[in-house]
């Protein structure tokens, strides 16, 4: 159920008026619903209950400490892709033995940090990375637990920038070379071979690619399970799609479970999952205020105070986000919703029929909880938006709006 609904013609986040929040906190403003985060987490955990998966929340989708903590309190772990994300996960209270570390370019410093924290396992993306983890672990007198990320060459049917499990992508070790990579891992003193990992891409709207990928990695998993005593984990990644528009059906967790559970049952390994967007996507909106309405001979532009530095998904992925008025109206207009940044790529919607708004009105950009604030930048020296979390009628500012002072902090002017 959506956490963002109209009451008396005004958009609410759970029990709180979005209009009031925008007046109190200013705009642009990210608003997150705590109950939606928890509902999504529980829906996935319930559908997958027969294999009792470890759910490592992909904190790249939304790494606010309050969001991570909300999910950790439900039992979630964390899927991290940098030393910074590992630090965040630990700050939010995720136990180290519920953290997995992915990414193609882990530095020695990041590996050392993860080894010191004694995380659950690294998901390893190449042979040189295996050797580096082994070397660092040996030098520190520790053991690096590893799950090799196998690239099953399955098409997830998503945007080319977010497709990761095809042969041409930079991620993981090709299935044909995976056996050799495991042999290399088994020869290293500093390593323990803990499992196999895959992640196909995102957002994936059908369970079929997951089922196909499982069929492909099954023989390898079976032989590793037979031959390697420590090989116990199969992490099937994230990527579960959500609905970004009323006519788009989300990937239903029950359909997903029905497609993957038979193979997972047969394998009898401990199952891990790394959902990000599925949990956070529709838990967040970005609220923005209309600054100007500009009619040029060809087009109408609604110029708002949110920009591509706040939400990059539309220009980066051609992503669709529903945009609704905070105060409901019957009138509509046709045109673009754009930000103030000096780029033609600075748009939130192009050539769309949307509810009519006037200068000063508030609009809400929906489905902005995943890959929204986390991709925000300071381009055009714009401070990043504030983030608030709502729970029922309670509100907490979970990240302060950046000030102009924040924006120049750390910069130096050379004496010369
Ligand atoms: C390795 C890995 N796991 C999980 C995810 C999370 O994907 P999503 O947010 O679509 O669930 C990603 C996304 O890039 C990823 O690269």
């Amino acid at each position: 159920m959506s956490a963002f609904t109209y009451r008396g013609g005004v958009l609410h986040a759970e029990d709180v008026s979005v209009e009031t929040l925008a007046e109190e906190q200013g705009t642009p403003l990210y608003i997150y619903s705590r109950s939606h985060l928890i509902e999504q987490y529980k829906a996935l955990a319930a559908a997958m209950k027969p294999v009792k998966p470890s759910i490592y929340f992909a904190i790249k989708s939304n790494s606010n400490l309050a969001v991570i903590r909300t999910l950790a309190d439900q039992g979630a772990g964390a899927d991290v892709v940098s030393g910074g994300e590992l630090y965040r996960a630990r700050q939010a209270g995720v136990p180290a033995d519920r953290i997995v570390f992915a990414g193609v370019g882990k530095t020695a410093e990041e590996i050392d940090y993860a080894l010191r924290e004694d995380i659950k396992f690294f998901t390893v993306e190449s042979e040189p990375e295996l050797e580096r983890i082994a070397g660092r672990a040996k030098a520190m007198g520790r053991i690096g637990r590893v799950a090799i990320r196998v690239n099953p060459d399955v098409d997830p049917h998503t945007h080319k920038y977010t497709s990761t499990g095809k042969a041409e992508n930079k991620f993981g070790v090709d299935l044909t070379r995976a056996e050799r990579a495991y042999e290399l891992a088994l020869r290293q003193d500093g390593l323990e071979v803990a499992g196999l990992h895959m992640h196909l891409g995102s957002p994936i709207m059908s369970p079929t690619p997951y089922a196909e990928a499982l069929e492909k990695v099954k023989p390898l998993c079976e032989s590793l399970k037979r031959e390697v005593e420590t090989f116990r984990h199969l992490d099937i990644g994230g990527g579960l799609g959500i609905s970004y528009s009323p006519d788009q059906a989300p990937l239903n967790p029950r359909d997903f479970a029905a497609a993957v559970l038979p193979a997972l049952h047969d394998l009898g390994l401990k199952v891990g999952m790394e959902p990000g967007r599925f949990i956070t996507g529709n838990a967040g909106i970005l609220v923005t205020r209309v600054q100007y309405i500009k009619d040029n001979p060809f087009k109408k532009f609604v110029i708002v105070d949110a920009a591509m530095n706040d939400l990059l998904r539309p220009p980066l992925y051609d992503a669709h986000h529903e945009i609704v008025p905070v105060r409901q109206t019957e009138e509509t207009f046709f045109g673009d919703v754009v930000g103030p940044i000096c780029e033609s790529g600075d748009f939130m919607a192009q050539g769309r029929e949307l509810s009519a708004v006037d200068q000063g009105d508030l609009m809400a950009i929906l489905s902005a909880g995943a890959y929204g604030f986390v991709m925000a930048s300071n381009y055009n020296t714009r401070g990043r938006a504030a983030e608030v979390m709502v729970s029922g009628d309670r509100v907490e500012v979970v990240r302060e709006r950046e000030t102009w002072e924040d924006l120049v902090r750390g910069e130096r002017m050379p004496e010369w």
Side-chain angles (χ1 to χ4, degrees):
M1 216 187 75
S2 175
F4 301 95
T5 51
Y6 285 98
R7 294 188 192 172
V10 177
L11 189 65
H12 277 61
E14 300 199 18
D15 298 332
V16 182
S17 153
V18 168
E19 200 168 67
T20 309
L21 278 177
E23 264 146 33
E24 287 172 2
Q25 305 299 335
T27 52
L29 178 70
Y30 273 98
I31 304 176
Y32 305 131
S33 156
R34 179 171 180 270
S35 68
H36 190 84
L37 293 170
I38 295 173
E39 271 169 30
Q40 290 295 99
Y41 176 84
K42 285 189 169 166
L44 190 55
M48 294 295 286
K49 197 171 168 210
V51 289
K52 293 198 189 74
S54 296
I55 299 185
Y56 309 109
F57 166 52
I59 75 173
K60 66 173 78 66
S61 73
N62 186 320
S63 55
N64 187 286
L65 294 179
V67 170
I68 303 172
R69 177 59 157 265
T70 299
L71 295 162
D73 285 346
Q74 300 300 310
D79 158 43
V80 304
V81 289
S82 68
E85 283 198 352
L86 173 53
Y87 179 75
R88 269 185 181 280
R90 297 293 289 131
Q91 289 289 304
V94 184
D97 64 1
R98 281 200 241 146
I99 297 177
V100 295
F101 190 170
V104 294
K106 299 175 193 80
T107 64
E109 194 190 6
E110 290 175 318
I111 291 168
D112 290 357
Y113 177 33
L115 287 168
R116 275 196 310 276
E117 290 289 310
D118 202 17
I119 63 164
K120 187 155 183 184
F121 54 76
F122 293 89
T123 61
V124 178
E125 309 243 8
S126 65
E127 289 89 342
E129 187 194 326
L130 271 177
E131 288 172 327
R132 179 178 277 179
I133 297 173
R136 306 305 299 186
K138 257 198 315 203
M140 292 168 72
R142 292 186 176 254
I143 293 289
R145 286 177 291 275
V146 295
I148 295 181
R149 177 170 178 175
V150 172
N151 184 337
D153 192 19
V154 165
D155 189 349
H157 302 291
T158 184
H159 191 279
K160 66 176 177 175
Y161 289 173
T162 53
S163 151
T164 59
K166 293 203 291 184
E168 73 246 34
N169 299 131
K170 70 178 174 184
F171 300 96
V173 175
D174 191 85
L175 188 54
T176 55
R177 285 176 43 183
E179 221 166 301
R180 271 203 350 245
Y182 273 105
E183 280 161 16
L184 175 69
L186 287 164
R187 285 199 302 273
Q188 311 292 320
D189 282 342
L191 297 186
E192 178 181 300
V193 172
L196 183 140
H197 173 258
M198 61 182 202
H199 171 75
L200 307 177
S202 171
I204 303 177
M205 305 311 291
S206 147
T208 311
Y210 292 96
E212 271 177 35
L214 277 174
E215 274 316 303
K216 284 188 152 185
V217 299
K218 212 169 155 191
L220 177 62
C221 285
E222 280 166 342
S223 80
L224 285 163
K225 191 183 165 201
R226 249 191 335 266
E227 285 155 30
V228 182
E229 209 195 316
T230 53
F231 183 89
R232 295 192 199 100
H233 299 275
L234 172 57
D235 181 338
I236 60 175
L240 285 81
I242 56 163
S243 158
Y244 278 100
S245 64
D247 57 359
Q248 188 182 35
L251 178 51
N252 184 314
R254 285 188 302 274
D255 296 341
F256 173 79
V260 298
L261 283 177
L264 296 176
H265 265 306
D266 290 353
L267 283 167
L269 292 163
K270 292 185 183 171
V271 176
M273 301 183 69
E274 300 170 351
R277 181 191 321 265
F278 178 79
I279 295 175
T280 51
N282 277 320
I285 61 173
L286 173 61
V287 183
T288 182
R289 199 177 283 280
V290 178
Q291 300 301 307
Y292 304 100
I293 311 272
K294 179 169 167 179
D295 275 305
N296 82 8
F298 309 104
K299 230 181 199 179
K300 186 181 185 101
F301 293 98
V302 171
I303 303 171
V304 296
D305 63 2
M308 64 191 287
N309 77 299
D310 299 299
L311 182 67
L312 189 58
R313 297 190 71 254
L316 183 63
Y317 304 128
D318 258 331
H320 175 97
H321 284 265
E322 287 292 303
I323 303 183
V324 298
V326 167
R327 227 166 232 283
Q328 258 174 330
T329 160
E330 296 297 307
E331 305 289 299
T332 62
F333 81 97
F334 185 85
D336 292 9
V337 178
V338 300
I341 282 183
C342 315
E343 301 271 351
S344 296
D346 182 24
F347 61 87
M348 276 105 235
Q350 281 185 315
R352 294 242 300 264
E353 174 108 24
L354 293 167
S355 292
V357 278
D358 281 327
Q359 192 167 347
D361 285 353
L362 292 165
M363 299 173 103
I365 303 169
L366 307 185
S367 313
Y371 307 101
F373 183 90
V374 285
M375 286 190 178
S377 75
N378 294 127
Y379 187 37
N380 277 202
T381 303
R382 288 168 48 86
R384 284 178 295 172
E387 296 172 286
V388 301
M389 183 178 279
V390 170
S391 176
D393 61 0
R394 287 179 302 176
V395 175
E396 185 76 43
V397 177
V398 293
R399 191 180 208 277
E400 301 281 342
R401 182 176 304 285
E402 276 178 340
T403 63
W404 289 342
E405 290 77 32
D406 291 333
L407 297 182
V408 292
R409 184 165 299 127
E411 293 185 32
R412 304 269 184 281
M413 284 182 272
E415 299 245 327
W416 36 266

